[in-house]
Amino acid sequence: MVTARCKHQMRCLSSGLLLALLSCVGKAGAEPLKFFTEHSPPGEYLAEDGQVKGPTVELIRILQQRLQDEGPIEIYPWARAVQLASQEPNAVLFETVRNSLREDKYQWVGPLKIHEITLYGRSSNSKNANSRPIACDYRDSAVLSQIRQLGYQENRDLVVTIKAGECNELLLKGRVDLVALNQLVFAELNQQLAAQQDSLKPVHKLAAARLYMAFSPKIAPERVARWQQALLDSYRDGTMRGLYQHIYSEAMIQQLEQLAASPATPAQ
């Protein structure tokens, strides 16, 4: 004979199983995220074997596994990556500078990196004080607006290229005078200039660039929040440090770890 107490326990058990099943169905029914990025070594690049690699890519893959929220990571020229991401309801674009112009277009997870940005010129530049130097940056760069705010204008003293890295080539060829660089790219370009018996000199410090994963606004906020928490956990448990420490500066790694240790959410 089934007692009233047993019936109650069975109903509770059935209710719990139903909730668990609904949770599993909801997770299984979610569309996979599609990650879009550009060839921008060392963080993310297309390797000779055709695979997308780099420390940022590896960090994202670890987060995918921890969250059981895996999806493809595809690499394109930046303008194409942005276009494709805008067409996909479950798109994630990285690494994306977060600023006021982009704030409302995405949901943000990060920062993945924090880079100090400075305008540099060649030490050998002999232009006189009355000759304004020619600055250079690439289209869709978040730094470009800062350069324009300094008074540089296209068709006068500002060259805007299509791809990242083209300005560095123009500087090496002597066709532009100023380029915006973080410390990692600075070291690489400075080494190239050494072959020309020249070096880089800082001209104007710009605002630091914080790089994020930009999630489509159509992705459920709860899903985005789980990614943010998983990223912070990777900063606390040493995962990020293990991937970054042989490539990026100790100062930047410590900044990220300090943000994760703070009560405030870094994405805010």
Side-chain angles (χ1 to χ4, degrees):
M1 181 176 179
V2 179
T3 64
R5 182 179 180 182
C6 286
K7 288 180 179 178
H8 175 71
Q9 289 175 335
M10 289 173 67
R11 284 196 298 268
C12 289
L13 179 60
S14 298
S15 176
L17 287 172
L18 179 60
L19 287 173
L21 286 170
L22 287 173
S23 176
C24 290
V25 169
K27 189 170 184 178
E31 289 292 327
L33 298 174
K34 293 184 179 180
F35 290 78
F36 297 95
T37 189
E38 67 174 336
H39 179 78
S40 182
E44 47 277 325
Y45 59 90
L46 188 63
E48 291 183 0
D49 61 4
Q51 298 298 309
V52 184
K53 297 182 179 180
T56 310
V57 173
E58 294 310 310
L59 179 59
I60 289 173
R61 287 193 172 124
I62 289 170
L63 300 183
Q64 287 179 326
Q65 293 171 1
R66 290 181 178 180
L67 292 165
Q68 297 181 18
D69 195 0
E70 298 185 39
I73 299 176
E74 301 176 9
I75 196 162
Y76 296 94
W78 185 246
R80 179 62 174 159
V82 173
Q83 180 187 28
L84 288 170
S86 69
Q87 298 168 355
E88 293 283 349
N90 293 295
V92 182
L93 189 66
F94 73 97
E95 301 173 73
T96 311
V97 174
R98 184 177 182 178
N99 58 28
S100 58
L101 296 175
R102 297 172 176 170
E103 182 66 30
D104 297 331
K105 294 181 179 180
Y106 302 102
Q107 300 180 81
W108 301 92
V109 169
L112 290 167
K113 306 214 179 75
I114 303 173
H115 285 313
E116 298 296 328
I117 307 293
T118 301
L119 270 180
Y120 288 95
R122 298 178 68 136
S123 297
S124 64
N125 194 316
S126 58
K127 286 191 174 182
N128 58 53
N130 296 321
S131 178
R132 188 172 176 85
I134 298 173
C136 184
D137 203 8
Y138 70 98
R139 189 175 298 144
D140 298 321
S141 164
V143 175
L144 187 57
S145 61
Q146 293 189 56
I147 295 175
R148 285 176 172 144
Q149 288 172 5
L150 294 175
Y152 292 93
Q153 298 179 14
E154 291 181 63
N155 301 318
R156 192 189 69 180
D157 50 17
L158 174 61
V159 173
V160 179
T161 64
I162 297 175
K163 298 178 182 178
E166 288 181 327
C167 289
N168 300 349
E169 293 297 324
L170 292 175
L171 183 79
L172 288 169
K173 294 176 182 177
R175 296 179 183 174
V176 300
D177 305 305
L178 301 176
V179 292
L181 305 171
N182 62 45
Q183 286 302 304
L184 196 66
V185 182
F186 162 83
E188 179 183 341
L189 186 58
N190 205 38
Q191 188 174 13
Q192 290 177 285
L193 277 172
Q196 301 179 11
Q197 287 74 52
D198 206 348
S199 62
L200 290 167
K201 63 178 180 181
V203 175
H204 189 92
K205 189 171 183 177
L206 303 173
R210 294 189 170 210
L211 304 177
Y212 286 73
M213 285 182 275
F215 282 63
S216 165
K218 296 181 180 179
I219 297 171
E222 297 81 8
R223 193 177 187 181
V224 178
R226 288 195 295 272
W227 272 86
Q228 177 67 32
Q229 187 58 52
L231 181 68
L232 297 183
D233 288 343
S234 78
Y235 293 176
R236 298 182 186 111
D237 65 20
T239 301
M240 174 273 294
R241 173 174 284 276
L243 293 169
Y244 282 11
Q245 63 185 350
H246 299 301
I247 300 172
Y248 301 108
S249 72
E250 176 65 20
M252 188 191 78
I253 292 170
Q254 288 185 9
Q255 271 188 288
L256 295 173
E257 290 174 338
Q258 289 166 7
L259 284 172
S262 170
T265 304
Q268 300 304 315

